[in-house]
Amino acid sequence: MTDPVLSIRNLKVALPEGADRDFAVNDVSFDLYPGEILCIVGESGSGKSMSANAAMGLLPDLVRPVGGEIIFEGTDVLKLSEAQMMKLRGKKVAMIFQEPMSALNPLMRVEDQIAEVFEAHNLLTPRDRAKRAIELMTEVGIPDPEKAARAYPFQLSGGQRQRVMIAMALALEPSILIADEPTTALDVTTQAQILELIRNLQEERGMAVMFITHDFGVVAEIADRVAVMQYGKIVEAGTADDVLDNPQHEYTRKLIAAIPKLAAEAGAAAAGKTPILEVEGLNKTYVTGGSLLFSKPRIVHAVNNVNLTLAEGETLGIVGESGSGKSSVGRCLVRLMQPDSGTVRLAGHDMAQLSGAALREARKSIQMIFQDPYASLNPRSKVGRIIAEGPMAHGVSKTEAYGRAVKLLEMVDLDALAIDRYPHEFSGGQRQRIGIARALALEPRVIIADEAVSALDVSIQAQVLDLLADLKERLNLALIFITHDLRVAAQICDRIAVMQNGKVVETGPAHAIFNNPQSGYARTLIEAIPGREKELAAAG
Amino acid sequence: MADFWNRFSRNRGAVIGLALLVIVILVAVLAPLLFPQSPWRMVQRPFLAPFSMDQYPLGTDALGRDVISGLAYGAQVSLLVGLVSTVAALLIGIPIGALAGYFGGWMDDALMRFTEFFQTVPSFALAIVLVAIFEPSIQSIIAAIAIVSWPPVARLVRGEVLSLRSREYVEAAILSGQTSLTIILRQVLPNTISPIIVLASLMVATAILLESSLSFLGLGDPNMMSWGYMIGAARTVIRQAWWLSFFPGVAILLTVLALNLIGEGLNDALNPRLARRGK
């Protein structure tokens, strides 16, 4: 076997005092060989990004390596001076980040940003730099590279921006590429393209790639070898096939088991049950910009003639990529957003027409669970009040409302003592449970979950999904589950509506959509799910 | 709370400011005990130089009144005007900003045009006019200062509310059937407190300066000794008796400086994200 290009030995990275543990990275060792893709997998806070940042000398101010070594080309990177580090960065080791919008300079043309990489290392003439920039952009597959080179980052799509980042990283032909969650912010179809691009470039150039991700689907798509991290330690390492098919460590097994399976079951048909929510001809357009004389306003048809029905006790998934209008539909249903036209019949009332006290009353039966467990709870209210506020606003007495809050907290598996604590004392998953308890406080019949598990780690996500399924069963709730994650949709939904550009392009029972999608778009979406092929192969 | 004090005390200037302010407050509170006689009373020959008589350490003014006693009673006026007018300005500014930011649309337009109307008039000129119309008295001075200093509060609160009202917890409150008033009072405003406190501490300082300026121009309350009045009365004799304007000037300087230092410390302590990095 060849020598490793990068070899990390017993690396220890200390966290500042008062952090939840002493070491972000504790005694981590691994080798990166030329021409391989090593995936470092772990949940948030496992120290996976810190290991990569240490190799680049990009640790935050208060975090410092205290032990071990990072050997690159025979020298210990940790002992290099900042000036020596600068020579290494970009030239020998390059990095791409999660959010290409914030990693690119918004006020600089794309070609100048790529040229800047050469300039920083004092290479080539300005004319050659511009030429190389175009060549690189062609190589990473940006359509019409000459025109795109003159564009500013905001004029490109998310996928194109990530391609520009990759072009910059490849500019000096580094021997190692570190990719820190490079596809997490992208839609599933774009993610598939970027993964393919990284895979191809790596093969052509024989680079070593260190790929950091939380998503086992992505690992299955791209990895040669895998290292699983938990609490700053590597708990398991091996070839991708070994780790995925035959995990040895308990934590790895737990993580893999928590991944929602794609195979949707042919559940009991909801036919025959009475519909509780009927949406007909729903429309919503956004008009932005445009002045009286000078420019035409930009009109976006966010929701375009959408029809949906939801039966009692049913779970309807609304899936689509970002900008497909799926969240707008959810918000129109509860009237956080005023639809332009259409009817939303909820148990006989037309939600779209109500206002004032009648609307407040009708909203009792349709509640929402939000995406961001950190932004959805008032940081200055105690948990008890957060849950009790709704019933109290509808005239329930304080004692009764708080009593109900305790019951609800127990129902979502939280301690009743939580009532007197503030939201910041809870973890993301616990906060999401509080959000669910709040939604249940008004005893709704329909709950809209808008990306309710997207911000959570996969093991927490599995717990919250189980909780939702259980509550739905016990309380006979109907659920509208809005998500971009088709795996999650496959696990929890009875029926699925696929949205694209504001329109519902396909609806049907979940298993039918996954096994035999009718529309071209639904097929593209499903084929792009990372790890799907492996799973199909495993299922035989 | 201990955490708050930790972050506040990390800023050494803020602690010095707090100490200065505590001294000023003590002097103001204890003034009647320290100087039982009225500060208006003539106690010695005029133009007694400072440090020449132990009984009157800062000397006497053109009418033979005790300067140090005037400073102590002046502290009362300054602090009273500073605090009360700031509270009044907050009472005007916060509701206007909250309504404009929460409801948006025409209500925002109307309230913000109204605010801008006050902002475009030079505030000191407006304060002079108001005090002149209402007869100089402590009430009219406080009212005038409040009326000219609420617009920044309204703008600050509006900005904060605008960004808070699209938070998911506000949307959850809307869905749970709470009325707009409840949402503004319980969900939105408590989260705007930190920047308001910081602004208010600086507004107290500005109000003290405004009051001094008004008194300097002879528009102070004729029954109350104030620092501005002392400087104003001494300006014609500044070459013979420098101490008459110097000591009240230092008092104003130190008090305003103290409040500004405290404001900065509060800013560091209440907005930890904006605080300086590292140690």
Side-chain angles (χ1 to χ4, degrees):
Chain A
M1 205 160 185
T2 47
D3 289 335
V5 274
L6 182 81
S7 146
I8 295 187
R9 289 278 151 262
N10 309 101
L11 180 70
K12 270 185 179 225
V13 175
L15 283 171
E17 273 174 51
D20 60 339
R21 60 174 193 261
D22 294 341
F23 295 101
V25 178
N26 194 354
D27 207 11
V28 159
S29 305
F30 60 84
D31 292 318
L32 182 64
Y33 293 96
E36 73 163 358
I37 298 184
L38 170 69
C39 272
I40 300 185
V41 210
E43 298 191 291
S44 52
S46 61
K48 56 192 191 302
S49 290
M50 284 289 183
S51 324
N53 286 340
M56 285 293 271
L58 288 177
L59 289 174
D61 278 357
L62 296 171
V63 178
R64 63 219 143 70
V66 288
E69 45 191 12
I70 301 177
I71 308 284
F72 175 72
E73 292 185 341
T75 48
D76 184 357
V77 173
L78 293 177
K79 295 205 178 74
L80 293 181
S81 67
E82 185 60 25
Q84 287 168 312
M85 242 357 265
M86 271 202 236
K87 275 194 200 133
L88 202 69
R89 271 186 220 137
K91 205 167 178 181
K92 299 284 179 63
V93 186
M95 192 158 181
I96 51 181
F97 301 92
Q98 172 170 353
E99 185 42 78
M101 190 67 206
S102 51
L104 289 169
N105 181 342
L107 296 177
M108 219 169 147
R109 289 183 199 279
V110 163
E111 63 175 351
D112 296 334
Q113 303 201 39
I114 300 179
E116 209 181 25
V117 180
F118 297 107
E119 206 182 324
H121 292 268
N122 230 343
L123 295 169
L124 304 180
T125 60
R127 183 183 304 230
D128 285 344
R129 286 174 196 156
K131 214 174 111 218
R132 270 300 280 156
I134 307 266
E135 283 168 19
L136 283 162
M137 289 177 67
T138 318
E139 194 181 344
V140 296
I142 292 176
D144 199 355
E146 263 110 39
K147 202 165 154 234
R150 306 287 303 153
Y152 289 97
F154 69 87
Q155 291 167 316
L156 302 174
S157 70
Q160 285 173 344
R161 284 198 285 265
Q162 197 55 286
R163 283 172 197 266
V164 170
M165 281 302 297
I166 295 174
M168 285 170 72
L170 295 179
L172 301 172
E173 306 189 350
S175 42
I176 300 176
L177 177 69
I178 299 177
D180 191 353
E181 303 261 12
T183 58
T184 307
L186 302 175
D187 279 327
V188 55
T189 50
T190 323
Q191 164 169 301
Q193 291 163 9
I194 296 286
L195 288 179
E196 196 189 334
L197 174 71
I198 292 179
R199 172 53 101 183
N200 289 343
L201 289 169
Q202 180 266 334
E203 272 166 15
E204 276 165 32
R205 297 178 171 228
M207 277 184 307
V209 176
M210 186 178 199
F211 197 103
I212 293 157
T213 182
H214 68 282
D215 186 340
F216 268 99
V218 171
V219 175
E221 288 288 315
I222 200 169
D224 296 316
R225 283 197 310 128
V226 184
V228 184
M229 284 189 78
Q230 182 192 24
Y231 304 134
K233 290 191 170 148
I234 290 187
V235 294
E236 181 163 2
T239 63
D241 289 337
D242 280 351
V243 173
L244 291 174
D245 298 338
N246 189 16
Q248 297 301 315
H249 194 275
E250 191 192 341
Y251 177 68
T252 320
R253 260 184 248 150
K254 201 183 103 197
L255 276 186
I256 291 177
I259 304 168
K261 296 289 169 287
L262 266 179
E265 286 163 26
K273 287 194 184 170
T274 41
I276 184 163
L277 183 73
E278 288 170 290
V279 182
E280 254 174 67
L282 197 68
N283 276 293
K284 174 74 193 174
T285 49
Y286 295 112
V287 183
T288 46
S291 61
L292 222 48
L293 292 172
F294 302 108
S295 60
K296 272 194 191 158
R298 206 169 82 95
I299 299 175
V300 180
H301 219 127
V303 180
N304 193 349
N305 204 18
V306 165
N307 302 307
L308 297 166
T309 51
L310 178 69
E312 270 184 43
E314 182 187 40
T315 304
L316 171 69
I318 302 182
V319 300
E321 299 189 289
S322 54
S324 63
K326 56 189 192 303
S327 282
S328 299
V329 169
R331 300 166 69 80
C332 282
L333 295 186
V334 292
R335 285 281 300 282
L336 277 175
M337 191 184 270
Q338 181 67 36
D340 296 337
S341 64
T343 55
V344 178
R345 298 196 73 77
L346 173 70
H349 297 287
D350 185 0
M351 282 286 288
Q353 300 300 327
L354 298 175
S355 65
L359 177 62
R360 272 204 282 281
E361 194 57 32
R363 268 183 185 148
K364 273 167 80 174
S365 32
I366 184 162
Q367 289 289 305
M368 200 156 175
I369 304 170
F370 295 89
Q371 171 173 8
D372 185 344
Y374 291 89
S376 62
L377 304 177
N378 187 344
R380 291 191 189 260
S381 294
K382 286 184 181 165
V383 168
R385 204 175 95 184
I386 289 176
I387 299 172
E389 255 166 358
M392 275 156 71
H394 286 95
V396 174
S397 76
K398 192 174 170 185
T399 17
E400 200 189 327
Y402 273 79
R404 204 187 283 178
V406 170
K407 284 204 194 91
L408 285 164
L409 282 172
E410 280 162 1
M411 202 184 263
V412 297
D413 300 330
L414 285 175
D415 197 296
L417 293 174
I419 211 161
D420 272 326
R421 291 161 66 191
Y422 285 95
H424 68 84
E425 297 172 56
F426 295 89
S427 70
Q430 289 172 323
R431 283 158 166 258
Q432 205 56 306
R433 287 166 193 269
I434 297 170
I436 294 172
R438 171 177 60 192
L440 294 176
L442 288 169
E443 298 171 349
R445 302 177 66 188
V446 179
I447 283 192
I448 298 179
D450 188 358
E451 299 277 9
V453 296
S454 307
L456 305 175
D457 277 328
V458 59
S459 56
I460 311 288
Q461 178 175 322
Q463 292 167 11
V464 173
L465 285 176
D466 285 346
L467 174 70
L468 275 177
D470 177 47
L471 288 172
K472 190 194 105 173
E473 206 62 36
R474 271 158 66 191
L475 305 172
N476 192 29
L477 293 170
L479 202 61
I480 293 187
F481 204 91
I482 299 169
T483 182
H484 71 281
D485 188 335
L486 290 133
R487 286 177 175 276
V488 170
Q491 185 182 346
I492 196 168
C493 299
D494 302 320
R495 281 194 311 129
I496 284 178
V498 182
M499 282 193 73
Q500 182 191 23
N501 300 332
K503 287 190 184 135
V504 174
V505 293
E506 188 169 350
T507 34
H511 64 94
I513 298 250
F514 278 99
N515 298 332
N516 187 18
Q518 298 299 311
S519 62
Y521 180 69
R523 203 170 304 133
T524 327
L525 268 188
I526 287 165
E527 277 165 9
I529 301 173
R532 176 171 171 271
E533 277 154 34
K534 192 169 175 67
E535 204 167 302
L536 287 182
Chain B
M1 199 60 208
D3 186 37
F4 169 81
W5 174 248
N6 263 341
R7 274 178 300 182
F8 182 80
S9 58
R10 194 173 294 163
N11 183 336
R12 197 180 305 159
V15 179
I16 296 174
L18 191 62
L20 276 173
L21 187 68
V22 167
I23 294 172
V24 176
I25 292 173
L26 282 178
V27 168
V29 171
L30 299 177
L33 297 174
L34 295 170
F35 309 100
Q37 288 190 338
S38 160
W40 299 98
R41 201 184 138 98
M42 287 175 257
V43 292
Q44 250 291 339
R45 69 173 175 84
F47 298 119
L48 179 72
F51 313 119
S52 54
M53 269 179 84
D54 285 349
Q55 207 183 342
Y56 308 107
L58 296 184
T60 61
D61 71 359
L63 294 172
R65 296 175 295 210
D66 186 4
V67 171
I68 197 167
S69 157
L71 283 185
Y73 283 91
Q76 286 185 339
V77 175
S78 290
L79 291 180
L80 181 75
V81 170
L83 279 177
V84 179
S85 64
T86 299
V87 169
L90 293 180
L91 289 179
I92 308 173
I94 291 176
I96 289 184
L99 291 177
Y102 188 80
F103 289 104
W106 66 264
M107 170 113 56
D108 185 25
D109 279 340
L111 289 172
M112 279 303 111
R113 294 305 85 78
F114 180 67
T115 311
E116 278 159 15
F117 171 75
F118 277 87
Q119 281 193 305
T120 47
V121 182
S123 57
F124 188 55
L126 181 58
I128 292 177
V129 171
L130 288 171
V131 175
I133 293 173
F134 291 119
E135 302 279 303
S137 72
I138 191 94
Q139 290 86 354
S140 68
I141 291 172
I142 288 174
I145 293 176
I147 286 169
V148 300
S149 50
W150 64 266
V153 184
R155 299 209 73 103
L156 173 86
V157 173
R158 172 179 174 267
E160 291 286 320
V161 172
L162 266 182
S163 83
L164 288 171
R165 77 143 297 162
S166 57
R167 294 285 165 91
E168 288 180 346
Y169 61 81
V170 175
E171 294 186 336
I174 295 174
L175 287 186
S176 73
Q178 298 177 38
T179 56
S180 299
L181 184 69
T182 327
I183 293 174
I184 292 177
L185 290 180
R186 294 211 143 179
Q187 315 289 349
V188 179
L189 283 183
N191 286 294
T192 62
I193 289 241
S194 309
I196 292 178
I197 288 179
V198 173
L199 181 68
S201 69
L202 300 174
M203 280 170 63
V204 175
T206 325
I208 289 176
L209 283 178
L210 263 176
E211 188 276 334
S212 301
S213 313
L214 286 172
S215 302
F216 176 81
L217 294 178
L219 290 167
D221 189 319
N223 301 315
M224 298 183 102
M225 181 62 79
S226 94
W227 295 339
Y229 163 80
M230 291 168 78
I231 301 178
R235 74 182 191 282
T236 50
V237 293
I238 193 160
R239 277 186 293 181
Q240 299 98 298
W242 57 271
W243 64 91
L244 295 185
S245 7
F246 178 76
F247 291 116
V250 169
I252 294 173
L253 173 80
L254 288 181
T255 311
V256 171
L257 179 70
L259 285 161
N260 276 294
L261 288 172
I262 292 171
E264 202 174 294
L266 285 174
N267 196 26
D268 284 4
L270 293 172
N271 303 328
R273 273 169 300 141
L274 303 176
R276 292 168 200 88
R277 296 193 315 157
K279 297 225 167 84

